[in-house]
Every structure is written in structure tokens, then in C-alpha cells.
Amino acid sequence: MASHKETAQQVVEKIGGAKNVNQAWHCVTRLRFNLNDKDKVEIEEIKKINGVMGAQFSGDQFQVIIGNHVSDVFAEVEPLVGGAVSGDGEKSGQKQSVVSLVMDFISGIFTPILPALAGAGLLKGFLALFTTVGWLTTESDTYMVLNAIGDSVFYFLPFSLAVSTARKMRTNEYLALIVAGTLMYPSLIEAFNAIEGGGPDTLDFLGLGIINIPLLNYDTSVIPVILSVILLKYVYDLVKKVMPSAIQLMFAPMIAFLIVLPLSLWLIGPLGTNIGNFVSDIFNWLFEFSGLFAGLLLAGFMPLIIMTGMHYAFAPIAITSLATLGYDNMVMPMMLISNAAQAGAALGVAVISKNRQMKQLGLSSGISAAIGITEPAMYGVNMKLKKPFVLALVSAGILGAIAGWYGLKAYTMSGIIGIFALPVFADPAGESVSLIVSIVLFALAIVLPFILVLIFRFKDIEEDTTASTQPKEEVAKAKETTTEATGKEIMVQSPLKGTIVPLAEVSDQTFSQEIMGKGIAIEPEEDRVVAPIAGTIMVFPESQHAIGLKGDHGEEILIHIGIDTVSLKGEHFNGLIKEGDRVEVGQPLVEFDREAIRQKEIETVTMIVVTNTAEYLDVLPINADGPIFEGEHLLSLVK
């Protein structure tokens, strides 16, 4: 598997380079790009990059599916594309459709605040759970403190949205915060609350009786602050354009405020509130009219919606529903069931697949999907095998129909919908039925596709032991060369489990420049090294960090665990052999503590080098990168 840095470099190169990136950001599993020229994208080549699960255009937004390590890869993308991340890139010259623009805009606003929504929502869910089982009372001081922590993100949501919208619009974030602060100003909220006591429901701005500002409560609101910040961006830019630069610092913000904020309170805020309520009412009506049918469609087709990246468009609907009704019976219940169904199908693959890599991926991605991150299971397992994906859709549709018919509700927001989000289905009133139903449906959503996969099975992928970045013809040609030269092939097996790293990428030049000889490196995933060949231990220093073997066919192999590990003087290593010992293939040689070594900021990448390379026509790695298991064919020595 390639390093995150290498993956990032290849992705940026294949999308046309940094100059082609207008804007870049990421969500839970994907890199997302707005590009200046989408014709420069080498999409098929990007799909072949190690660490990439898939790539696609959603409208005019380009998405690269990475999976659980997306934030690590994006951290390497960010310095490569520079200003495009913060919004200083050039404007795209390509015209986007209205739908593409809206979807792109919404996802760009909501993805940065997902961690806050996920953390706070989960805390509120646990609070509801604790009150349901009687561990806390709503009158206790502990509840008051924890509720303030969990509720603050939602109550002050306009501030978070103001910042993320400003970043998306490439305008000053601190000016945007003033917009949110005005909408949320305490005296305006107090005036709104006083309406029930007979107070006025409007404010007469300027005292002319013309501009009557409706009093509304904008806490937890979504659309009003977004529309207001958009207006702020254009007004502020226009003011700066016509104003002398010498007085811009003070007067440009003031004039922008005087234009934008009264308009926001008078027109934009009420308009945004009405739009949000209207859209939410439509979906609520659909579920009230036929929850069974709506649940069937939304849960069944949710993976297809996720594939396009359009699921973020549901975030404002869920938030508005929570603010106005106190619950969400659409988005989160259906995503919970859909995500669990993808998990169940992937786990079914893990049980019956005979492909070792697919079994491992099915297990890991199934667990990930159960937590709420489905792309690894969808792209890496279920869609690749086709039938498990279809069975997951069918299962989700059936159970989504049941959830819609019952009226399953989430009572707070959660950024990632999976097993740890179950507490958000606990009714704050203390009723336990909703929570129990959500747990039962979640479990069924895993079990049903799991059983269906076991029953209907699928066409398994044959294990490819010669997979590499080299074309298969080249591998075959290399083997032909071996046969022509000697009539046999000397094989070196992998001494440990991990991910392959090309020797040229190792930071120690002694190895990367092949001074010691040709070979390969592996980043270990387990804490032991076994014999890759049958032979004799020729070198085993007191530091125990390296082993030199001489094989029965004359091959000389050096296994060097880590870089500069000699400085540890044997600490964290446990040798199981000594010089002169005879060893067989697969026999354990050394045990070591990876984490302890890494905590000392020492690399654990392990080099396997043929030190008598000069005696061979060539030393060929079977796999140039990707996962490798202990005992797999690692190197071929051409005599």
C-alpha cells in the first residue's frame, strides 16, 4: 500500500496538477475537488492508484473515494494544492449546472462541521439514554453541564455555518460571524420570546413604517445565515472595489454591515426560514402520507445517493426537522439501516470468500460500515462483487419500509450514523420504545443481508498472487526469463505481514540506492519476523535488529528491522535464534514491539535485501506495492 503522501501526489498529478484545482476539501471518506478543466482528469488512472477505492464526477464536482484514511491523505493534498483549500484558487472557467452547484455548495459547507455535530449529537444521545434508564435526572447539575456542552453546537449552529459558508465563498470569516451574531443577538431573541406575552411581532426599522423586521428565533437555523453570508460576500467585494484602498479597512466592513444585516433581518432571514420549513414539511408529509413507501425508497436507494455525494443535501432537512418538530424521522433512521445493511453484506463476504485479501477487507470494511463509514464496504467489497451490493439494497429497503411505517425517530443530530449513534434514537422524554426499535432494526439490517449473502452467494474473485503495478505480461515475461536462464526459479517468501514499500522510497540511502543490494521493504502489521528461506543464520548482532541468512541455493538475504534501530541496543527486540542456527521457511526469528519503537520516533519499515545481488541476473519483486502476508511469494531471484 502506498504512503498517504504518495497517494496524494499521484491524485493531484492525475487530476491535472495543482493549477487545475479550484477548490479542495474532504468529507468522511472522500477527497472532493472543484476543477478548472475536468477534461484533464485521468479518471481510470486515478482508480488504479493504491489507496484509492474509486473516483467519479458528481455533477461537476470530482470525488476520489479514499475511505477511513481520507483525512491523512488530505493532509498531504493540502500543501500540494496550496490556496485552493483555503479558497484562493482561480475561478473555474466551466459552467456548472444549478443542481451541481447546489450539491457542491451544501457538501462544502457541512463537511467541515461534521465532527462538531457528530460529537455533540452523540453526547445528547447518551444524555437521553441515561435519563431513559434512570441514571440521570434532567434536574441534576450534572445533566445541566453535559446538556450545555451537547446543545451548544446546535443552538449556536449559525456561527459554525457562518464560518464554513465564508470559507466556501472565500470571504472574511470574522465578518461572517457578525452576521450570525446579529441573527442570534440576545435582545432580538428576547423580543421574539415576548411575542407570546403580547409584545410586538415586528420592529419598525428607521421609524418610517416601511421596513418592518419580523421577529424570529434563528437558533439552530440553517438557510438564513447561509443566504446572508452569500449576500455579504458580494456586497463586501463590491464596496471594496469602488472604495479607495486607504479607507477600506474601517469603512468597507461598516458599509457592508449596514446594507447586509438589515436586509438579512428584514427579507433574507424570513425567506430562508420559510424555505427550510417548506422543504422539511414536504418530506414530513411524504412520511406521514406513506411512511412505508418513503422508507422503502429512501433506505433502499441511500447507497446510490451516497455514491453521488448528494446525501449532504439532507443535512439541512434533518436539522430543520429537529428544530421545528424535535425529531428527524427521515434522514438518520434511513441512513442507520442503509449503513448497517452494507456492513452485513460485507461481513457475509468475509465469511464465505476464499480470497484472503477479500476476506480481510470484508471484515475490516464491515466493521467500518457498522460504525457508519460505508464507502470501504460499498466500493471495496459489495459493489466489486455486485450481488452483495444488491442484497444490501433489498435488505435496507425492506427494513426502511418497516422503520417508515413505524415512524422511527432520531431526537438529535449525529454526523456519522452507525452503532455508536444509536443513543440519538433515545427519547429525551424517557420513553424507551424508540431506542429498542432502533437497536432491533439495526441488528436486523446487519443480519438480513448477511444471511442473504450466505444463501445466494456470489462469484468470488480469484486470489491474484502476482498482482502488482507491473503489467501481468511483464511478470510473465520475467518468469519466462527465469526459466530460460536456469530452468528454475529461486523464491524468497515474505518474512512478515504488512504493506509493501518500494525500496527506493526508504529514507535510508544505503537501502534506497541499493548499495546493499536489490530487494523490497515492508511496513509491518505484526510483531514478528520469520525465515523467508531455508538456510543458516550467518549474522545476528547483539542489537537483534537485523538477521543475515544464507540459503540452501546460495542466496544471501538481509532482513533489517527498522531504520536506525541499532541505536536501541536490543531494547524492544527478542531474538529467537543465534548465529549458526539452521532455520526452515516460516520459522520465527525475532519478535519486536512496533508501537514501542515508533513511540521513540524510529521507523519500523523493514528491508529485505539480497546482499549478493551481483550473482543474479535480476531480483524481481512479485508485488510492487499493496498488502503482503507472512509466507507469500515476495521476491524471485533470476540466476
Side-chain angles (χ1 to χ4, degrees), residues 29 73 171 248 252 307 349 365 377 439 593 595 607 610:
T29 53
V73 176
T171 193
Q248 279 184 10
M307 286 166 58
V349 171
S365 66
I439 293 172
D593 189 335
E595 296 307 318
M607 285 62 67
V610 181

Side-chain angles (χ1 to χ4, degrees), residues 255-479:
I255 294 174
F257 290 153
L258 289 175
I259 296 172
V260 172
L261 296 178
L263 282 173
S264 296
L265 293 169
W266 180 35
L267 297 176
I268 296 176
L271 175 64
T273 300
N274 291 331
I275 291 173
N277 291 340
F278 177 71
V279 175
S280 179
D281 288 345
I282 290 175
F283 276 86
N284 277 303
W285 173 83
L286 181 61
F287 272 80
E288 288 174 6
F289 177 74
S290 177
L292 189 145
F293 180 68
L296 172 70
L297 289 180
L298 192 54
F301 289 103
M302 185 61 72
L304 304 179
I305 296 170
I306 291 172
M307 286 166 58
T308 65
M310 291 175 63
H311 53 298
Y312 287 105
F314 289 111
I317 299 170
I319 293 171
T320 301
S321 183
L322 287 167
T324 56
L325 302 175
Y327 59 80
D328 165 35
N329 63 340
M330 301 169 288
V331 182
M332 286 182 284
M334 301 309 144
M335 287 195 73
L336 177 78
I337 291 168
S338 175
N339 292 352
Q342 292 296 323
L347 293 173
V349 171
V351 169
I352 63 175
S353 176
K354 292 183 172 60
N355 184 308
R356 285 181 295 173
Q357 287 88 349
M358 188 59 71
K359 288 178 78 73
Q360 185 182 40
L361 183 58
L363 179 60
S364 62
S365 66
I367 294 171
S368 175
I371 293 171
I373 301 174
T374 57
E375 273 89 343
M378 282 172 51
Y379 289 96
V381 179
N382 298 337
M383 289 181 66
K384 186 176 288 186
L385 299 172
K386 297 181 178 64
K387 192 179 288 186
F389 184 68
V390 174
L391 295 174
L393 295 185
V394 171
S395 302
I398 293 170
L399 295 170
I402 295 173
W405 167 79
Y406 170 77
L408 182 63
K409 300 177 179 68
Y411 293 92
T412 186
M413 193 75 178
S414 179
I416 299 176
I417 314 298
I419 189 169
F420 296 118
L422 285 172
V424 306
F425 294 89
D427 191 338
E431 297 291 335
S432 60
V433 178
S434 179
L435 178 63
I436 293 171
V437 171
S438 69
I439 293 172
V440 170
L441 286 174
F442 179 80
L444 288 175
I446 291 179
V447 172
L448 180 57
F450 178 85
I451 293 174
L452 290 178
V453 168
L454 297 187
I455 293 173
F456 293 101
R457 308 183 78 82
F458 51 87
K459 185 177 180 181
D460 206 355
I461 296 176
E462 292 185 12
E463 192 162 356
D464 186 3
T465 58
T466 61
S468 72
T469 54
Q470 290 176 290
K472 290 186 178 180
E473 300 83 35
E474 290 183 24
V475 175
K477 187 176 179 182
K479 290 189 175 181

Side-chain angles (χ1 to χ4, degrees), residues 586-606:
Q587 179 178 331
L589 303 179
V590 175
E591 295 172 344
F592 59 98
D593 189 335
R594 288 172 299 148
E595 296 307 318
I597 295 171
R598 289 169 183 169
Q599 285 174 8
K600 295 191 176 182
E601 298 184 354
I602 295 177
E603 296 180 54
T604 54
V605 63
T606 298

Side-chain angles (χ1 to χ4, degrees), residues 556-567:
E556 296 177 6
I557 308 295
L558 171 66
I559 305 171
H560 195 285
I561 306 168
I563 293 175
D564 199 29
T565 41
V566 66
S567 63

Side-chain angles (χ1 to χ4, degrees), residues 119-129 147 150-151 154 411-412 423-424:
L122 189 58
L123 177 57
K124 283 178 68 67
F126 275 115
L127 279 178
L129 174 63
N147 187 59
D151 208 36
F154 301 96
Y411 293 92
T412 186
V424 306

